Amino acid sequence: MFGPRVIQVEPLVSARGVRGPFDYARPEGCDIGAVVDVPFGRQRLRGVVTGLAEDSAHRLKAPTAVSDVSLPPQLVRLALWMADDIVSTRARCLELLLPPEGVGERTRFWAEPVHPSAAGPQGTGGGSTPGDVPSSGEGSATDGPPAPPTDPWAGVRLNANQRALLDRLPGWTGDDLPALRRLEARGLVTIEARAHGRRPDHASIGALHGDGRTAPLLNPDQALAVERIAGVLADPDLPVRERRLLLHGVTGSGKTEVYLQAAERVVAAGRTVLVLVPEIALTPQTVQRFRRRLGETVAVLHSGLSKGERRDEWWRLRSGEARVCVGPMSTVFAPVSDLGLVIVDEEHDPAYKHDGDPRYDARRVAAWRAGDSGAVLLAGSATPRPESWASLRRIGLPRRADGGEMPHVRLIDVRATRGALHPDVHRAIADARKAIVLLNRRGWATWMECADCGHTWECPNCDVSLVLHGGRSERTGRTSGVLRCHHCGHQERPPERCVSCSSVSVGQHGLGTEQLAEDLPGHVYRLDADVRDRSSVLEAFGAADHGILVGTQMIAKGHDFPGVELGVVVDADATLRFPDFRSQERTFQLVAQLAGRAGRGGGSDAPARVLVQTRSPDDPSLRFAARHDAHGFVVEEIERRRLHGYPPFSTIVRVVCEHEDERRVQAAADDLVLRMPADTMGPVPLFRRQARFRRQLLVKAVSRAATVAAVRDAVAAVVDDNAHRGVVLAIEVDPR
């Protein structure tokens, strides 16, 4: 074999202490991106080839197996970059890119008819041989009209059921396989196993204007946006910065149609497209629209699919059969080649930040993939992040696509209100034909407390209150359901007496979406993280003529329902009270996005309006949201962050140490802070979670590269110290 003789393999293990790559002898044809099984000590591990070398200083073993799965070299480069950029491990990043293990190709039987004439002179009766067919061109011996078609089964003994089976072929077999096998034995049918891909089935959700298959007439703002994007797509010599665009349009301005027309141009040019949405619940709506326009070249990837569906969609993209991939943040890792466009819809949404290690930001990964491929990055939002506003070229859509007015937003001061809803809000909900009501707390009640001694029920594993789910029994009037921890999943029965003083005066406090949905009049649909089949809820509400959709922040994310007359934010102060420099931004986005769900797509003669309950009616973020003034808010927010040195004018890195032993976690945190940059804050205690004590350190610095490198070195040193073995370190760059 010519060329490099050594492959460099990254074993897919989660431990930070295992740092590859490791050298192995190169099998014939094994290249970068290949997935291999390798001997590793006494184990056999799965790994990915990340590099090639001419020689090695070690005596090398060869892989025990080479899989048919391989990653494009670009994705291998992506994983290596990610590991450095977010202080994770290469193995954890590489695992994100692979299809699911343990599931293979699905096959089904395909049946085709064998007409007797196909057998020639030895056929089974009555058919013409090739020499009997007259020429259809000039000089034909037949002058008159053509003869009627010959029955291909003439002379063959068939009953009615057998003839019906043959007439439906070719096709996949089903319950009729035994009957087809009998016809196969007579030489009338051939049956063979063929690959049969598992395709996700997505319900139709939301409004589709027109038939969805042909591009509608664009308004002038949309037409200008499409032409500006087309100009960038057509100029491969533009620098990377000039190829990163922000489509800033008010809610309902027709951003999706701009995405579609840009994607059509890219696919027509033979390149591929990635389309990211912030939630799995939004995927069916987006997939439906792209498939109606672009056909079966559209694939979908997300964790809600079965392993078989994910495997088959991954291979459709890897082989080039599918050219467009739609889905939530993991879509950014789709194995497409020749990438031409990356779309990030609702780019402001914090759901694009991955919770577990590796804690990547899909928006940053999307920008890397676009830059590495010479593709265009197109991020869209009605409420863009200050980071995007400051770094991306902006294209505006200042009006709604249907020419409708933005809903009127009223801030309602509830400081003197008793109960969950202001009387005006309650009346408005009762009168509205369709309404969306946002309360960003799930469950029935947020905590339980003894009125006599003040005892509250907390999770035994986490230092947090247990949330009541299930409410109160209508038959007995007693508390029913379950107390649940939203961090570790611990559950217990609600108490009838206080465990501290035996009092029966145990009360429920705080309002969650379950209780609110129970108290509202009319037909209520609830959508929060406790609802499993979210797509069915959205489909039902979208199809309903009347109803109320109650839920957490996920109901404010990009849904397009016609006929919604009213939007309500029950507690707009919840995000304002949160101790985070992004609290103003998140409050503005939540209110503005919820307001954008009202008055879309017609379907109602009543003017749309939005009611926002707040104890801070003079807060600037709420005032800007009430005026639909994203430009004014972002400009003011950027200036505030400049004064205080917050992103985008700095980088923040958070490191959390975790262990069951509090002394060990404190010792690791103390050691870590000595190795971190001088401006590190902490360590400070965090609440115990999943029976593990935690300590947090924060670094805020101007230089991202230097800060991340310093944190990476400090973390590696602590991981290598046997005194801190077992302490888990979780690193998050630019925490959400």
Side-chain angles (χ1 to χ4, degrees):
M1 180 178 66
F2 298 101
R5 295 179 297 171
V6 178
I7 56 173
Q8 297 173 322
V9 177
E10 195 70 46
L12 299 181
V13 295
S14 60
R16 283 186 177 271
V18 178
R19 301 188 191 98
F22 298 92
D23 291 350
Y24 290 87
R26 184 186 183 190
E28 184 73 33
C30 192
D31 215 331
I32 291 175
V35 178
V36 295
D37 292 338
V38 293
F40 193 81
R42 298 181 180 180
Q43 307 176 70
R44 292 290 184 271
L45 297 179
R46 191 181 187 217
V48 177
V49 178
T50 59
L52 304 176
E54 294 294 336
D55 208 347
S56 174
H58 308 284
R59 183 178 179 181
L60 302 183
K61 295 181 178 180
T64 57
V66 178
S67 170
D68 60 346
V69 175
S70 66
L71 294 174
Q74 186 208 46
L75 288 189
V76 176
R77 294 195 302 273
L78 169 63
L80 303 185
W81 168 81
M82 276 179 58
D84 286 342
D85 188 63
I86 59 177
V87 197
S88 186
T89 69
R90 293 179 169 188
R92 294 175 186 178
C93 294
L94 285 164
E95 282 192 307
L96 293 171
L97 313 178
L98 295 170
E101 281 190 277
V103 57
E105 182 179 66
R106 183 178 71 170
T107 59
R108 285 183 61 185
F109 287 116
W110 177 265
E112 291 193 1
V114 179
H115 296 148
S117 59
Q122 288 79 34
T124 318
S128 302
T129 65
D132 297 327
V133 180
S135 168
S136 58
E138 289 185 341
S140 170
T142 304
D143 290 332
T150 304
D151 180 1
W153 307 109
V156 180
R157 294 195 311 273
L158 297 170
N159 61 34
N161 290 337
Q162 291 170 330
R163 181 174 285 274
L165 275 177
L166 292 168
D167 287 344
R168 81 159 185 85
L169 298 182
W172 298 107
T173 68
D175 295 339
D176 54 8
L177 180 59
L180 288 169
R181 286 293 190 195
R182 290 191 289 271
L183 292 174
E184 181 187 35
R186 295 173 60 186
L188 302 179
V189 170
T190 61
I191 301 176
E192 63 176 354
R194 290 187 182 181
H196 187 266
R198 290 152 286 211
R199 299 296 304 279
D201 181 24
H202 286 293
S204 301
I205 296 175
L208 268 182
H209 308 299
D211 64 5
R213 293 178 173 83
T214 56
L217 183 65
L218 301 179
N219 65 33
D221 295 324
Q222 290 174 302
L224 180 59
V226 170
E227 289 308 311
R228 288 188 61 185
I229 295 167
V232 177
L233 288 168
D235 189 351
D237 297 326
L238 282 174
V240 170
R241 182 179 177 85
E242 298 295 307
R243 300 176 70 79
R244 295 177 176 176
L245 308 175
L246 173 64
L247 184 62
H248 173 224
V250 300
T251 53
S253 58
K255 292 186 288 295
T256 301
E257 184 56 40
V258 174
Y259 300 152
L260 282 164
Q261 297 207 17
E264 283 182 306
R265 295 181 184 230
V266 172
V267 172
R271 304 191 72 183
T272 57
V273 181
L274 301 181
V275 184
L276 277 64
V277 295
E279 294 277 358
I280 289 178
L282 288 172
T283 304
Q285 172 179 286
T286 309
V287 169
Q288 178 192 21
R289 289 169 174 169
F290 273 81
R291 278 190 179 161
R292 288 206 174 191
R293 190 69 60 82
L294 297 171
E296 290 304 305
T297 192
V298 177
V300 57
L301 284 177
H302 59 71
S303 60
L305 304 180
S306 69
K307 281 189 174 183
E309 289 171 334
R310 275 187 286 152
R311 182 259 180 210
D312 289 354
E313 291 291 86
W314 191 93
W315 275 107
R316 287 212 309 136
L317 292 159
R318 181 72 176 94
S319 67
E321 177 188 342
R323 309 286 293 169
V324 179
C325 187
V326 178
M329 58 183 173
S330 58
T331 296
V332 77
F333 303 121
V336 296
S337 302
D338 200 14
L339 186 61
L341 177 65
V342 184
I343 297 169
V344 184
D345 191 25
E346 308 290 351
E347 69 84 29
H348 64 276
D349 201 299
Y352 282 120
K353 194 69 182 290
H354 190 237
D355 280 332
D357 195 348
R359 290 171 172 79
Y360 67 90
D361 187 328
R363 295 161 294 204
R364 185 170 173 84
V365 178
W368 187 94
R369 285 205 73 177
D372 189 65
S373 304
V376 172
L377 174 70
L378 179 58
S381 176
T383 56
R385 297 176 300 151
E387 293 90 338
S388 301
W389 189 272
S391 63
L392 305 182
R393 293 176 60 191
R394 296 190 292 275
I395 299 174
L397 294 176
R399 288 171 286 274
R400 285 195 156 179
D402 60 5
E405 296 294 325
M406 298 296 291
H408 173 72
V409 179
R410 175 188 167 195
L411 303 179
I412 298 179
D413 189 342
V414 293
R415 283 175 288 188
T417 300
R418 293 184 178 181
L421 298 178
H422 188 279
D424 290 354
V425 174
H426 199 281
R427 282 193 295 270
I429 293 174
D431 293 341
R433 199 182 86 186
K434 293 186 80 169
I436 296 180
V437 181
L438 186 149
L439 174 62
N440 211 19
R441 290 188 298 273
R442 59 193 173 103
W444 182 276
T446 48
W447 83 95
M448 297 190 71
E449 182 181 60
C450 174
D452 290 340
C453 73
H455 175 81
T456 59
W457 277 257
E458 293 189 347
C459 176
N461 306 315
C462 310
D463 296 329
V464 296
S465 297
L466 294 171
V467 177
L468 176 63
H469 289 258
R472 182 177 295 274
S473 170
E474 295 183 2
R475 183 177 62 85
T476 65
R478 296 180 179 179
T479 299
S480 60
V482 64
L483 287 172
R484 183 181 303 154
C485 175
H486 287 177
H487 293 280
C488 72
H490 168 81
Q491 293 187 172
E492 59 186 65
R493 294 183 62 183
E496 296 183 2
R497 291 179 176 272
C498 177
V499 296
S500 295
C501 68
S502 299
S503 170
V504 295
S505 299
V506 177
Q508 306 170 13
H509 301 276
L511 178 70
T513 50
E514 288 183 18
Q515 187 178 162
L516 180 61
E518 189 73 20
D519 292 343
L520 289 176
H523 197 151
V524 179
Y525 306 84
R526 181 170 63 86
L527 186 69
D528 56 39
D530 296 319
V531 176
R532 290 188 177 181
D533 193 356
R534 301 172 197 174
S535 295
S536 294
V537 173
L538 292 170
E539 182 181 8
F541 177 72
D545 186 60
H546 292 74
I548 304 169
L549 178 63
V550 174
T552 53
Q553 60 182 347
M554 63 178 65
I555 67 173
K557 297 183 178 183
H559 305 295
D560 187 4
F561 298 117
V564 175
E565 300 172 353
L566 178 69
V568 173
V569 180
V570 175
D571 183 8
D573 306 296
T575 46
L576 278 178
R577 293 190 291 265
F578 201 75
D580 190 312
F581 75 91
R582 291 192 176 95
S583 60
Q584 294 273 329
E585 174 191 351
R586 287 175 179 163
T587 301
F588 170 80
Q589 290 171 346
L590 194 63
V591 174
Q593 288 289 335
L594 189 280
R597 301 313 110 206
R600 297 166 70 106
S604 175
D605 296 330
R609 54 182 178 149
V610 178
L611 305 178
V612 180
Q613 295 193 161
T614 176
R615 290 176 173 79
S616 309
D618 295 323
D619 185 85
S621 62
L622 295 176
R623 290 291 180 185
F624 279 117
R627 297 196 298 267
H628 306 286
D629 186 5
H631 181 278
F633 171 78
V634 174
V635 169
E636 186 172 290
E637 179 70 3
I638 287 177
E639 185 57 31
R640 183 181 72 87
R641 294 193 188 182
R642 187 194 309 273
L643 292 173
H644 294 90
Y646 286 122
F649 306 102
S650 66
T651 291
I652 295 176
V653 181
R654 179 175 70 174
V655 182
V656 177
C657 307
E658 300 184 4
H659 197 273
E660 294 87 350
D661 187 327
E662 188 170 14
R663 290 174 298 179
R664 292 190 63 181
V665 76
Q666 185 66 51
D670 290 340
D671 190 4
L672 186 61
V673 75
L674 294 175
R675 304 172 187 271
M676 295 274 277
D679 52 356
T680 299
M681 296 171 281
V684 297
L686 296 177
F687 69 88
R688 191 172 56 104
R689 186 172 67 183
Q690 297 180 342
R692 301 172 73 89
F693 293 93
R694 302 188 298 158
R695 298 293 184 270
Q696 175 178 276
L697 301 93
L698 284 178
V699 186
K700 185 174 75 169
V702 174
S703 172
R704 179 187 178 99
T707 303
V708 169
V711 172
R712 187 186 309 119
D713 292 342
V715 167
V718 171
V719 168
D720 290 342
D721 191 333
N722 286 334
H724 306 310
R725 180 172 295 176
V727 176
V728 175
L729 300 182
I731 299 92
E732 186 171 8
V733 182
D734 288 328
R736 66 179 184 180

